[in-house]
Amino acid sequence: MDIMNDTQSRVREVFSEYLSEKGHRKTPERFAILVEIYEIIGHFDIEELYVKMKNKNYRVSRATLYNTIELLLDCDLIKKHQFNNSSHFEKSFQFKQHDHLILDSGEVLEFCDPRILNIRKTIEEIYNVEISDHKLYFYGKKKE
Amino acid sequence: MDIMNDTQSRVREVFSEYLSEKGHRKTPERFAILVEIYEIIGHFDIEELYVKMKNKNYRVSRATLYNTIELLLDCDLIKKHQFNNSSHFEKSFQFKQHDHLILDSGEVLEFCDPRILNIRKTIEEIYNVEISDHKLYFYGKKKE
DNA sequence: ATTCTTGCAAACCATTTGCACAAGG
DNA sequence: CCTTGTGCAAATGGTTTGCAAGAAT
């Protein structure tokens, strides 16, 4: 079994367990949406996902996409971002933690810097909180 | 002249120069909105600003608020945030750079950590970009 | 005088809701 | 069965747009 299929099955398992724990039903629609999302490279928005599934002749509604996205966010299988005045998502299971550099042009680059974890620890101590996640965005433009 | 009035006049000046540079007109509405925003402590959204001004018997429309907010963002007099599924703003002139810790409860705390600047420098070098701004959000919950 | 800006109302569009039917437990 | 979840269509609500009147330059 190759890496992608392995990810697929582990992701399914995570979602399955989450649905059980929360007493939600394991519908084929929910797993189909999960699979479609995990096929996407990079960011996506609801409309793109809707079109992708419609093109594959899925009978799916936007309402169900919104509902399922909510569940996937809750069990940390996807992450939501809001910049440039729109919402988009990305898969987050077993993908290296990364943040975003948003350029003037609209281009979005990803980067990874472990020093953010030090800041995180400090904030946890100062405020006596347990931090589960972070989002860091830099805004800039290319130098000539 | 006390500190607040001093800020007021400097902010007006910044906005005034920006409007000149960009060839936009200096309307009383624009300055009134600026003043109202700078009276607000903490975050606000468009509706709150609209109600605040209506209560003071301003004759102002939401359309103008949206337009003016756009100008104020462009000249860096305010900053926009989108978390918990809504847009809100805060004034940003001469207020210490800070980031946000968003708790489960919906509570939003502010913090300041200079180490973010080191990360920023590194990213500028690696990607050969000029970073003008950043936003860092931590998500967590209070420990008992 | 010309052009930009305003308030108002209508339009827009992403997201949510209501409902009847389908299907998971 | 009972209840949750689904697709569809209508409703919602924040934001944008079109337009006639008003104001800045």
Side-chain angles (χ1 to χ4, degrees), chain B residues 2-144:
Chain B
D2 66 78
I3 292 173
M4 281 321 291
N5 285 334
D6 189 42
T7 296
Q8 281 273 350
S9 60
R10 295 220 259 158
V11 159
R12 284 183 67 96
E13 186 141 343
V14 169
F15 195 30
S16 187
E17 278 176 27
Y18 165 80
L19 293 172
S20 296
E21 274 171 28
K22 294 281 180 173
H24 293 138
R25 292 181 180 170
K26 300 180 185 182
T27 68
E29 289 83 357
R30 285 172 176 169
F31 287 98
I33 292 166
L34 177 64
V35 167
E36 292 304 313
I37 286 175
Y38 267 72
E39 279 180 15
I40 298 172
I41 310 284
H43 293 195
F44 65 93
D45 62 28
I46 299 282
E47 196 58 24
E48 283 163 15
L49 181 56
Y50 180 72
V51 171
K52 181 180 194 288
M53 293 189 75
K54 279 295 179 187
N55 285 342
K56 289 191 174 185
N57 292 320
Y58 278 102
R59 186 162 171 278
V60 71
S61 71
R62 276 175 256 260
T64 301
L65 292 182
Y66 280 101
N67 286 335
T68 304
I69 285 279
E70 214 50 50
L71 299 174
L72 292 172
L73 281 170
D74 194 38
C75 64
D76 296 316
L77 284 170
I78 61 175
K79 225 172 156 174
K80 178 175 189 170
H81 297 283
Q82 295 174 277
F83 46 75
N84 296 341
N85 293 318
S86 71
S87 295
H88 31 246
F89 306 85
E90 61 184 343
K91 51 192 190 286
S92 62
F93 179 74
Q94 281 218 326
F95 292 88
K96 209 162 107 193
Q97 169 265 315
H98 64 264
D99 290 293
H100 297 88
L101 168 58
I102 300 160
L103 300 180
D104 265 10
S105 59
E107 194 182 357
V108 178
L109 302 172
E110 298 182 354
F111 66 89
C112 196
D113 194 306
R115 285 174 292 178
I116 194 75
L117 296 176
N118 298 330
I119 300 179
R120 175 170 166 157
K121 270 180 210 141
T122 302
I123 300 301
E124 286 188 317
E125 285 162 18
I126 291 177
Y127 290 94
N128 191 38
V129 293
E130 201 177 309
I131 293 174
S132 55
D133 195 14
H134 80 264
K135 289 173 191 165
L136 170 60
Y137 305 98
F138 283 121
Y139 299 86
K141 61 171 184 233
K142 280 227 166 71
K143 282 187 192 166
E144 305 82 41

Side-chain angles (χ1 to χ4, degrees), chain A residues 25 27 59-61 64:
Chain A
R25 293 180 180 172
T27 68
R59 186 161 170 279
V60 70
S61 70
T64 301

Side-chain angles (χ1 to χ4, degrees), chain A residues 101-117:
Chain A
L101 169 58
I102 301 159
L103 300 180
D104 265 9
S105 60
E107 194 182 357
V108 178
L109 303 171
E110 297 181 355
F111 65 89
C112 195
D113 195 307
R115 285 174 292 180
I116 194 76
L117 296 176

